[in-house]
Amino acid sequence: METVYLAGGCLWGVQAFVKTLPGVIQTEAGRANGITHTLDGEYDGYVEVIKTSFEPEKVSVSDLVGYLFEIIDPYSVNQQGQDIGLKYRTGLYSEDAKHLKEAQAYIDAIEDHHLIATEVLPLTNYVKSAEAHQDRLSKFPNDYCHIPKGLINKYKK
């Protein structure tokens, strides 16, 4: 099992989508790459992420980036749908350099004259979100989400 952290705007829909992907074992909503180590107070540079544990023999990091690009606008800076701000930027974060290299190679291969805004960066820190944010759309399916429900359920097991 390996782990990457995926950011695609508001984490509720991203988690609902990612947990249905082939090879994904477990997901957890959280915040990454901020300057504090607590959920108290402001986001302090954090990005909303889904901690994604997966089986690399069933799904690759490139596959995960490809899936992520199905539900986000990778060219949008700090905005997905109606969610605007630094905490809604998109990205892939990891403590494993090979994950970063593979994700960046995928982006480089598809990038044309438009610059993809999706970050590929080392994970500097991670804080699990409060329980109210874990699997939020499973508990409250009518909550706001920038991802169309048809896409969220595209790979439902």
Side-chain angles (χ1 to χ4, degrees), residues 98-118:
K98 74 177 182 183
H99 292 160
L100 301 174
K101 185 176 179 182
E102 184 177 343
Q104 191 61 56
Y106 177 89
I107 289 171
D108 291 346
I110 66 165
E111 194 167 50
D112 55 15
H113 62 282
H114 295 93
L115 273 173
I116 290 177
T118 303

Side-chain angles (χ1 to χ4, degrees), residues 2-18:
E2 297 182 16
T3 301
V4 295
Y5 300 76
L6 301 172
C10 175
L11 53 78
W12 298 345
V14 178
Q15 184 176 28
F17 175 75
V18 170

Side-chain angles (χ1 to χ4, degrees), residues 2-149:
E2 297 182 16
T3 301
V4 295
Y5 300 76
L6 301 172
C10 175
L11 53 78
W12 298 345
V14 178
Q15 184 176 28
F17 175 75
V18 170
K19 72 180 187 179
T20 69
L21 297 177
V24 171
I25 301 166
Q26 186 176 15
T27 63
E28 178 180 273
R31 300 177 182 181
N33 287 18
I35 58 172
T36 64
H37 294 281
T38 178
L39 292 176
D40 298 334
E42 297 298 317
Y43 266 74
D44 295 324
Y46 277 102
V47 57
E48 291 190 357
V49 296
I50 302 304
K51 181 179 179 180
T52 306
S53 299
F54 64 99
E55 297 174 282
E57 57 280 348
K58 293 186 178 178
V59 64
S60 68
V61 170
S62 293
D63 293 336
L64 291 171
V65 175
Y67 288 130
L68 180 66
F69 282 12
E70 289 184 33
I71 60 167
I72 67 166
D73 175 357
Y75 302 101
S76 181
V77 177
N78 301 336
Q79 179 176 1
Q80 293 296 311
Q82 296 176 14
D83 300 315
I84 301 171
L86 191 61
K87 69 181 180 179
Y88 298 120
R89 65 193 186 269
T90 60
L92 179 137
Y93 311 90
S94 180
E95 297 173 301
D96 189 329
K98 74 177 182 183
H99 292 160
L100 301 174
K101 185 176 179 182
E102 184 177 343
Q104 191 61 56
Y106 177 89
I107 289 171
D108 291 346
I110 66 165
E111 194 167 50
D112 55 15
H113 62 282
H114 295 93
L115 273 173
I116 290 177
T118 303
E119 297 179 329
V120 177
L121 294 171
L123 181 76
T124 56
N125 63 356
Y126 171 79
V127 179
K128 179 182 175 181
S129 288
E131 194 55 41
H133 294 288
Q134 302 301 326
D135 293 311
R136 176 81 181 189
L137 287 184
S138 295
K139 300 170 195 168
F140 304 99
N142 294 322
D143 271 1
Y144 165 76
C145 181
H146 68 281
I147 305 167
K149 287 186 181 183

